[in-house]
Each structure stands twice: as structure tokens, then as C-alpha cells.
Amino acid sequence: MIDFENLAVAMGELDEDTVKEILEAVDSAEAANVAMEACQKGMDTVGKLFEEGEYFVGDLIYAGELMTDAVEVLKPYLASGAAAGSKTRMILCTVKDDLHDIGKNIVRSMLEANGFDVLDLGIDVAPETIVERAKAENIKIVALSGVLTLALDSMKATVAAFKAAGMDDVKIIIGGAPVSEDSCKVIGADEWAHSPQKTVSVCKSWA
């Protein structure tokens, strides 16, 4: 029996050995999904401890690497539930003026595990670049990531750029620490998410 509560605690405490030991026991899509939720719960703890001053930037980076490794271990089981056939292509990037990519990379791994063909444009990506690539590749789903409050302005500018280009049929989801339901309305995005699971769920509904 896999102790998912212990997995969440171990992730929150950045206990790499325990996290890997528990994940090695995962052997089904159902268990992988629960393990993913436990890891996300642990990441929430990391974020809380960072806000309280108990964890520092180095701890956040380490937590991100640990989470990325966890996703890689779970990927084969998560992928088993992915739809067969042609993959839906989509764009993912961190918006202009933001250089953070840990959250973006975790989301990319989750999306790929669920059958998406992800065109990752990287970090600090200008609105016009995102629009140009979406137009050139005929992409209908775009996921914008950001950690800094500054990212909200860039997200708003990106949504406006799509509207200005007459590409209202492109669905845009925004994600990251500063994002909320209220900011989503102000930005004009179609959806928002704080977790990789919600991002995947929303994108699946659009695919």
C-alpha cells in the first residue's frame, strides 16, 4: 500500500530519498494520479514555507527539480491514460519580463504525459513572438506562465495581441503564483490554473 500522505510530507520536507522510494512503488495510472496530487500538496507546503521565510530561493529551485523528477517517474503511467491517435499541438511559455521556468517545465511534462505535442517557446517571450508562432503553426491552445507580478501585464498584452491579430479562436490559459480568478478576468484569458493538473484538464477540454 502506497503511503500518499507520507509522500506529500516528504515532498514538503524536500526529502528526496523518501520521495523516490515511494514513487518507485507506483505501478498504475490511478496510483500515479494520486501520487501527482500528493506531490502537488507537498509543493504547496514548500511555497508556504518560502512565504514564511523558512525556505529560501535555493530550496524552491531544489523543490522544482524534485517535482520535475517525480513527473518523469510517473510519466509512463500518466501517459497510459492519454488519448491515442494524433496529438494536439499547443504553445507553452513564460511571458515577457519573467525568467522563471520551473513551473513551466513541470506543466510541460504533465501535458506531454497526457498526449499533447508541446511547443515550448522558453522564457521571457514577447507577445508578438507568441502570436507569430501560433499563426505559423496553426495552434489553437496557448498556455502562459509567470511567477512575477510583472507577468500579469505581459499576459494581458499577449491576450490583446491575439485579439488585435483577429485570432479570437485561440484559447489561452494563464498560470503561476500571481494568477487568480480576478486577474484572469482583467487579463481577458479563457482560463487560469495554479496546478499542473488543472492546466491539463482545461487543455484536454479544449483539444
Side-chain angles (χ1 to χ4, degrees):
M1 184 71 184
I2 300 169
D3 188 344
F4 293 111
E5 193 55 46
N6 193 26
L7 174 58
V9 171
M11 180 64 82
E13 293 177 348
L14 305 179
D15 180 352
E16 181 181 2
D17 291 340
T18 301
V19 168
K20 290 190 171 174
E21 186 183 328
I22 294 172
L23 290 178
E24 279 169 10
V26 171
D27 59 1
S28 69
E30 185 182 1
N33 277 303
V34 180
M36 197 67 227
E37 287 176 18
C39 288
Q40 183 66 40
K41 191 174 171 185
M43 287 295 284
D44 290 342
T45 300
V46 171
K48 186 164 168 282
L49 291 172
F50 177 72
E51 284 174 10
E52 292 170 357
E54 286 191 45
Y55 279 176
F56 301 97
V57 173
D59 298 306
L60 279 188
I61 293 169
Y62 183 70
E65 289 170 351
L66 189 55
M67 183 71 174
T68 302
D69 289 345
V71 170
E72 286 303 313
V73 172
L74 299 173
K75 214 171 179 178
Y77 302 105
L78 294 168
S80 67
S86 63
K87 292 184 175 184
T88 298
R89 198 139 200 251
M90 64 176 288
I91 280 176
L92 171 68
C93 66
T94 301
V95 294
K96 185 171 168 52
D97 298 325
D98 199 320
L99 306 176
H100 295 83
D101 66 355
I102 294 171
K104 173 183 68 65
N105 293 345
I106 292 168
V107 169
R108 184 187 67 212
S109 293
M110 286 287 288
L111 286 164
E112 288 174 345
N114 279 274
F116 285 90
D117 179 4
V118 181
L119 178 57
D120 187 346
L121 301 184
I123 58 174
D124 190 23
V125 187
E128 54 272 21
T129 302
I130 303 169
V131 170
E132 282 166 14
R133 290 302 296 272
K135 190 179 286 185
E137 307 273 350
N138 193 31
I139 281 169
K140 301 300 180 191
I141 300 175
V142 174
L144 304 175
S145 175
V147 172
L148 305 174
T149 308
L150 272 172
L152 297 176
D153 291 334
S154 296
M155 288 174 178
K156 188 174 183 181
T158 303
V159 171
F162 272 97
K163 287 192 170 23
M167 298 169 69
D168 293 330
D169 58 334
V170 175
K171 293 282 192 180
I172 299 174
I173 182 168
I174 57 174
V179 170
S180 66
E181 188 171 356
D182 288 340
S183 62
C184 182
K185 287 174 184 170
V186 172
I187 288 164
D190 296 288
E191 254 298 0
W192 67 283
H194 267 170
S195 72
Q197 293 96 314
K198 184 182 175 187
T199 304
V200 169
S201 175
V202 169
C203 290
K204 273 185 166 181
S205 73
W206 290 342

